[in-house]
Amino acid sequence: MSAAFDSPPHAAPMLRVILRVVGWCGLGLIAGAVALSDFLAHAPAGAANAGSILDAPSPAHPFGTDLLGRDLLSETLHGLSVTVGHALLGTIVAIVLGGLFGAVAARLPRPVGLALRGVMDVFAAIPALLLGILVIGLTARLYAPLAAGLAAAPLAFVRAFDRVDTKSTHAEYARATGISAATLLRRDLTYEFRDTLATVTARALAAVTIILSTVSFLGFGATPPARDLGLMIAAAKTSYLHAWWTAAAPAFALLILILCARLAAGLDESERP
Amino acid sequence: MLNYAARQTGRLALGLLGAVVVAAVISAIAVPRAPGLAPFLAAVGTRLVDFARLDFGTSAISGLSAMDELGRRIPATLALVLTGTGVALIVGAPLGLVFGAGPLRRSAAPLMQIVAAAPVFCAGLALAYGAVHLLHWPVSINAPVRSAAPIFSSNARDLQLAALPMLMVGLAGAAAVQLALRRAAADSARGSYRAGLRRMGLSVIEIEWVYAAPLVIAGLLASAGEITLALLSAAVVAEWVFHRPGAADLFVKSVALQDWNMAALILFVFAALTFVVDFLGRLGAHALANEGKPS
């Protein structure tokens, strides 16, 4: 499904570097907030009646309170923690079954590699969101992080497969001199995959977070009392039209997480929407 | 061109075949059988034979034939996707062309990242909030307030109810359209043929119009499959958020209630739609790119 025009329009190199640094710093701050969420939060997760119902943002409750009087700053921190934890799990699945498997498949004997590519093409033609929902439906909501990783994997596979240049100079040289495909693969994994791992991880994190939060929003993800940001926004649907802050805080946290991951990936706009 | 078309046709056929097998595997879950792999594979085989006879089973929710149920629901989704495509082209094409080349491209890149970072459901809720508080429109996010209102209606209230999901799908598509156009425009701007054509005495406008424009449009067409995926994903969320009873919404409910026949059929239709649009887009892109390519 790769486009005929594969070269993405990159931002100026200096700007790209700055934005990448901003993205990684942002992810670092988010990791810090997640690690310290129990200390930073005013109340434990799900603690009702921390304030009165639907209190607007105030010094006591900077993000306001929700329908059950829960402090939204605390809830957002706990939700962010759940989202990040689940997204990291899904990211590992997407990288291993997508990026890594794609790179390996490209070095397998051509017919085998192309057959695998064909299978993944079929899954890549299904919207990742539907694939994620289907996997959760076939298993359980408990496995939502794995499902999100699996849903993102076909695209990561196709991209990794296509990135491996089987006609590169070193591949031609290896074939001509009888160097085995396994050695060539080891070389690819040691140098090329390792070099792009940070970018691939950040991109997969953004994609998995979007899938995960959307399936949670649709009711297929996190199960209460462990609420993630998607589920928090879904719960705010009934109140946010007259109490905007109930959805604003989790939505803003989600947006920042995805934005930082995308910036850390280096503004690679060849990513499929 | 013929070789390319034959290759793409083969790719389409294989893709559709793969989608049928995936649908049969999902549908086989609904078939009562003994435990074990062999009975499951036999059930998959049975479902494949049924599919060949255009028998897609019965919906466990409604009791209707899955085909009939899909026939009732798919027009709403297709209407949403089609109108969303229109919005996507109207909004996305100018954005892609304006920000596709020159210094604007560089400055727009971070801005586009910020806009693209918003998940579709957040954008939908924000649109609903704006519609209620700024335009005083009715919205159907918390209760199905005449949510089945058709998209093509002469009633102003129906149109207002239909506008938000349409806009939501359209904006998701616009992000994909502008991305495809920006990619193609940037690629075209780097084309080495430009200098040669200038030396031959062609003006910039001539080069853009005769050579670059077909390549940029070809880039958009080549991304038709990706744009379709974005539109379908957005349709799932839009139908759920705005309580519109379409096929995408039915898929979510089918999976939740384990109606596998229905889920399999909808998944197959969506995958087939993506494959067909991708196929047509690739053929169009190939034809245009060859036409625009300077000899």
Side-chain angles (χ1 to χ4, degrees):
Chain A
M1 201 69 67
S2 65
F5 298 95
D6 266 335
S7 309
H10 291 306
M14 194 58 206
L15 181 64
R16 284 188 70 202
V17 171
I18 292 170
L19 290 172
R20 273 194 92 153
V21 171
V22 169
W24 282 110
C25 287
L27 286 180
L29 285 175
I30 289 170
V34 166
L36 299 172
S37 60
D38 286 341
F39 295 104
L40 295 174
H42 295 182
N49 302 319
S52 46
I53 291 169
L54 293 180
D55 256 353
S58 64
H61 302 288
F63 289 176
T65 62
D66 67 5
L67 267 173
L68 298 177
R70 290 175 291 204
D71 176 51
L72 277 169
L73 171 62
S74 311
E75 288 298 301
T76 302
L77 280 168
H78 294 306
L80 182 65
S81 176
V82 173
T83 299
V84 169
H86 287 181
L88 283 177
L89 198 58
T91 300
I92 293 170
V93 173
I95 289 173
V96 173
L97 293 182
L100 190 59
F101 188 34
V104 171
R107 288 290 181 217
L108 292 175
R110 205 63 188 150
V112 179
L114 286 177
L116 286 170
R117 170 78 161 75
V119 170
M120 285 299 185
D121 254 351
V122 172
F123 288 108
I126 300 169
L129 176 62
L130 298 194
L131 209 52
I133 290 172
L134 182 71
V135 175
I136 295 167
L138 289 171
T139 54
R141 284 170 71 175
L142 180 69
Y143 299 113
L146 302 179
L150 280 173
L155 179 58
F157 177 97
V158 170
R159 189 178 293 142
F161 187 95
D162 291 346
R163 198 186 297 123
V164 175
D165 185 4
T166 51
K167 292 193 174 75
S168 65
T169 318
H170 72 269
E172 296 286 358
Y173 176 80
R175 267 192 291 274
T177 52
I179 292 172
S180 69
T183 309
L184 200 54
L185 174 63
R186 209 164 45 242
R187 179 250 173 225
D188 281 351
L189 293 182
T190 309
Y191 296 105
E192 292 179 14
F193 190 72
R194 185 192 63 186
D195 290 348
T196 56
L197 189 59
T199 303
V200 169
T201 305
R203 193 187 300 147
L205 179 65
V208 167
T209 305
I210 291 176
I211 296 170
L212 204 51
S213 57
T214 309
V215 295
S216 270
F217 178 78
L218 297 177
F220 286 87
T223 43
R227 300 198 308 157
D228 69 357
L229 296 173
L231 193 58
M232 283 182 70
I233 297 168
K237 243 178 84 178
T238 51
S239 57
Y240 91 105
L241 284 177
H242 56 272
W244 56 267
W245 57 90
T246 53
F252 185 68
L254 186 60
L255 190 86
I256 292 293
L257 173 60
I258 296 166
L259 179 62
C260 288
R262 290 180 73 114
L263 291 179
L267 286 175
D268 184 356
E269 294 179 330
S270 60
E271 185 177 352
R272 193 154 72 176
Chain B
M1 178 68 192
L2 273 179
N3 277 346
Y4 183 80
R7 227 175 26 245
Q8 291 303 321
T9 307
R11 196 168 170 269
L12 171 69
L14 282 176
L16 289 176
L17 185 67
V20 168
V21 173
V22 170
V25 169
I26 297 166
S27 180
I29 299 167
V31 177
R33 61 184 189 281
L37 183 64
F40 181 71
L41 290 178
V44 172
T46 310
R47 294 306 292 140
L48 279 173
V49 173
D50 292 342
F51 283 4
R53 295 183 192 134
L54 295 182
D55 172 11
F56 293 93
T58 307
S59 163
I61 300 174
S62 65
L64 290 173
S65 134
M67 272 297 260
D68 290 345
E69 187 66 37
L70 183 73
R72 286 198 313 139
R73 298 291 200 110
I74 198 83
T77 302
L78 289 181
L80 192 59
V81 170
L82 281 176
T83 48
T85 306
V87 173
L89 289 173
I90 291 167
V91 176
L95 278 178
L97 293 174
V98 169
F99 295 126
L104 270 179
R105 173 168 64 83
R106 283 195 283 273
S107 54
L111 183 70
M112 291 296 178
Q113 287 289 323
I114 294 170
V115 174
V120 176
F121 67 90
C122 290
L125 293 180
L127 276 177
Y129 188 87
V132 167
H133 290 277
L134 300 177
L135 303 171
H136 307 290
W137 283 7
V139 292
S140 53
I141 56 168
N142 288 321
V145 190
R146 292 276 318 272
S147 59
I151 280 185
F152 305 109
S153 165
S154 55
N155 183 315
R157 189 180 155 80
D158 285 353
L159 279 176
Q160 287 171 345
L161 282 170
L164 289 180
M166 200 172 77
L167 204 56
M168 184 175 163
V169 174
L171 290 179
V177 167
Q178 66 84 23
L179 180 59
L181 279 173
R182 290 174 67 209
R183 238 171 10 200
D187 195 72
S188 159
R190 283 194 294 268
S192 55
Y193 63 87
R194 284 173 179 272
L197 291 173
R198 288 301 299 274
R199 269 187 232 116
M200 285 166 65
L202 269 72
S203 69
V204 174
I205 292 175
E206 278 174 312
I207 295 171
E208 294 295 336
W209 186 248
V210 179
Y211 297 104
L215 290 177
V216 171
I217 297 170
L220 178 65
L221 288 175
S223 301
E226 297 174 10
I227 295 166
T228 307
L229 275 179
L231 289 165
L232 287 174
S233 293
V236 175
V237 183
E239 287 184 1
W240 180 264
V241 169
F242 293 102
H243 295 278
R244 300 196 71 83
D249 175 64
L250 182 62
F251 175 83
V252 175
K253 286 175 180 155
S254 299
V255 174
L257 299 172
Q258 308 208 324
D259 183 355
W260 299 120
N261 283 335
M262 204 65 245
L265 181 59
I266 296 171
L267 208 66
F268 168 70
V269 169
F270 281 5
L273 195 65
T274 308
F275 273 123
V276 170
V277 172
D278 185 56
F279 167 74
L280 295 174
R282 277 169 187 271
L283 286 189
H286 188 77
L288 265 177
N290 279 344
E291 190 183 303
K293 199 179 284 175
S295 51

